[in-house]
Amino acid sequence: MSQTVLEINELTKQLNRKNIVHNASFQMKKGEILGLLGPNGAGKTTTIRMIVGLIKKTSGKVYINGRDLDEEGLACKSEIGAIVENPAFYDHMSGYKNLEQYARMAKNTISKKRVDEVVELVKLTGAIHDKVKKYSLGMKQRLGVAQAILHEPALLILDEPTNGLDPKGIRDLRDYLKQLADNGISTLVSSHLLSEMQLMCDRVVIMEKGKIINISNIHEEEEAEGAAGQLVALRVADSHIGLAEEAIAGFKEVTLSQRENGSVLLLKMPHDVLPELNRRLVQAGVDVFGLESRRSTLEDKFLALTSEKSDELQKEAT
Ligand SMILES: Nc1ncnc2c1ncn2[C@@H]1O[C@H](COP(=O)(O)OP(=O)(O)OP(=O)(O)O)[C@@H](O)[C@H]1O
Ligand SMILES: [Mg+2]
């Protein structure tokens, strides 16, 4: 049986009688990377702050490795490494000196070997003896992660860690979170970008207006989709919709699932049929403006949630 590292149970935060987070519950297993996904203001940071004990919860429970945060706060906190606000460093000191300083303040002894290990893990070896004031945002972020995992926590919590990172930085982060996961460390990571979460996480918890509205297992959904065929968006010239539909009708592997904005057809089909479909469309004289795979039911769920949001904004504006 795999071990539960984090459990939150009906976690609620009320401010000025308003529920900022309302009855949020989920669990995380050892070695799992869990995404907390939601638009701005959904309550992600507030949830995280309650878990790490930066703010008081109004009600509900937090358990870290089975321990109750209310009863064994210190023991719980020693199991967590987190970057919630931007981590503060001594700018005039090297990254290495910063880590050493931090290691000295830690409750348990942290060896030099451990410091070197985390530096290597976050790929800062080449720059670790440079002063932090010379670091780029991405390097500071790596140093932040290094610092957060120095004391070998069971649970790493990162609030919007990809903010400001370039694509390579994001990929590197993904890589070392996976590496941590392989070593049994669980990571809770928040973001408002679904595409990132899909690549990074095992499961995603979707939050909206303080409530958890969905929990999805990325791998299971991907497998289910693979079996049922993928969703492909076909964009054609407006006047060629009829032609395109005819060409598609002759294809037994392809089903038309929806028409979007007039000239986009959403199709379900096995992945390997795509090139042949493209050929037949062109042969039928259809001008194809785009043929791209669409990810997932999860994306649909998330879009439904965000479009609700934009409907509301429109209502507010009128
Ligand atoms: N100290 C506070 N006082 C009043 N309202 C607050 C406070 N902190 C947060 N809120 C409100 O709670 C809601 C949730 O905020 P939170 O920062 O948790 O959202 P988030 O999901 O992290 O958003 P973002 O993606 O913008 O970081 C927001 O509407 C915010 O305005
Ligand atoms: Mg936030």
Side-chain angles (χ1 to χ4, degrees):
M1 206 185 72
S2 55
Q3 190 186 330
T4 302
V5 172
L6 169 69
E7 175 179 351
I8 67 172
N9 206 342
E10 311 216 320
L11 199 55
T12 298
K13 179 69 186 180
Q14 243 175 27
L15 274 171
N16 308 323
R17 299 215 187 133
K18 200 177 149 239
N19 281 328
I20 308 262
V21 173
H22 186 64
N23 282 350
S25 303
F26 61 79
Q27 298 187 345
M28 275 180 79
K29 300 274 177 227
K30 185 176 158 85
E32 184 173 41
I33 304 175
L34 185 75
L36 196 54
L37 179 70
N40 293 132
K44 305 178 296 291
T45 301
T46 306
T47 302
I48 286 176
R49 286 174 149 179
M50 286 191 278
I51 297 170
V52 301
L54 273 173
I55 55 170
K56 269 177 78 171
K57 52 192 166 56
T58 306
S59 61
K61 283 287 184 188
V62 176
Y63 301 95
I64 315 279
N65 272 337
R67 290 190 174 119
D68 186 335
L69 182 68
D70 294 327
E71 279 158 25
E72 298 179 79
L74 277 181
C76 285
K77 282 176 198 166
S78 73
E79 298 279 1
I80 303 178
I83 308 184
V84 184
E85 277 95 29
N86 285 333
F89 296 113
Y90 300 104
D91 252 15
H92 60 282
M93 280 167 31
S94 70
Y96 199 84
K97 284 263 186 300
N98 268 278
L99 291 180
E100 274 185 339
Q101 178 78 11
Y102 190 81
R104 268 199 294 274
M105 294 186 314
K107 214 175 76 198
N108 299 323
T109 323
I110 294 168
S111 65
K112 184 181 174 306
K113 184 170 156 279
R114 174 66 187 161
V115 178
D116 293 338
E117 206 173 273
V118 297
V119 168
E120 181 133 339
L121 184 81
V122 301
K123 300 187 184 161
L124 262 185
T125 311
I128 199 65
H129 294 292
D130 294 346
K131 286 187 175 162
V132 169
K133 67 179 169 205
K134 291 207 287 183
Y135 281 16
S136 69
L137 187 71
M139 289 158 80
K140 278 191 191 152
Q141 196 258 13
R142 282 158 197 259
L143 188 61
V145 172
Q147 179 174 299
I149 59 175
L150 211 48
H151 63 292
E152 301 185 57
L155 175 63
L156 176 63
I157 300 182
L158 306 173
D159 192 16
E160 307 264 359
T162 57
N163 267 0
L165 291 190
D166 63 14
K168 181 171 181 304
I170 295 175
R171 198 182 59 206
D172 287 348
L173 175 71
R174 209 156 64 212
D175 287 348
Y176 57 75
L177 292 188
K178 290 242 156 76
Q179 221 173 309
L180 289 175
D182 290 342
N183 289 311
I185 297 177
S186 317
T187 304
L188 177 64
V189 51
S190 79
S191 170
H192 51 269
L193 290 179
L194 171 72
S195 48
E196 246 168 38
M197 295 283 91
Q198 279 186 311
L199 290 171
M200 200 176 277
C201 303
D202 302 310
R203 282 191 307 145
V204 172
V205 172
I206 303 182
M207 270 191 110
E208 184 205 21
K209 295 180 204 150
K211 290 190 180 153
I212 290 177
I213 56 163
N214 187 271
I215 300 180
S216 298
N217 186 314
I218 302 274
H219 306 310
E220 278 172 17
E221 298 224 354
E222 279 174 355
E223 271 168 32
E225 259 160 42
Q230 68 176 143
L231 207 56
V232 170
L234 166 68
R235 181 185 297 275
V236 300
D238 282 349
S239 57
H240 289 176
I241 280 282
L243 264 182
E245 282 179 345
E246 263 173 47
I248 291 158
F251 241 103
K252 65 174 186 334
E253 300 94 332
V254 182
T255 48
L256 177 60
S257 79
Q258 201 183 320
R259 217 162 128 166
E260 267 184 6
N261 313 323
S263 60
V264 177
L265 300 173
L266 282 184
L267 311 170
K268 260 222 143 113
M269 68 175 88
H271 181 69
D272 51 1
V273 169
L274 200 67
E276 180 57 22
L277 175 71
N278 186 34
R279 249 190 308 277
R280 291 227 208 148
L281 286 166
V282 174
Q283 277 165 5
V286 178
D287 288 345
V288 176
F289 283 86
L291 197 54
E292 65 188 30
S293 23
R294 283 273 174 90
R295 290 284 286 275
S296 104
T297 37
L298 185 59
E299 183 157 14
D300 292 342
K301 282 172 201 159
F302 189 62
L303 282 177
L305 160 184
T306 38
S307 65
E308 241 170 62
K309 208 86 188 162
S310 59
D311 286 352
E312 251 167 51
L313 287 176
Q314 271 169 3
K315 260 185 240 151
E316 274 169 27
T318 51

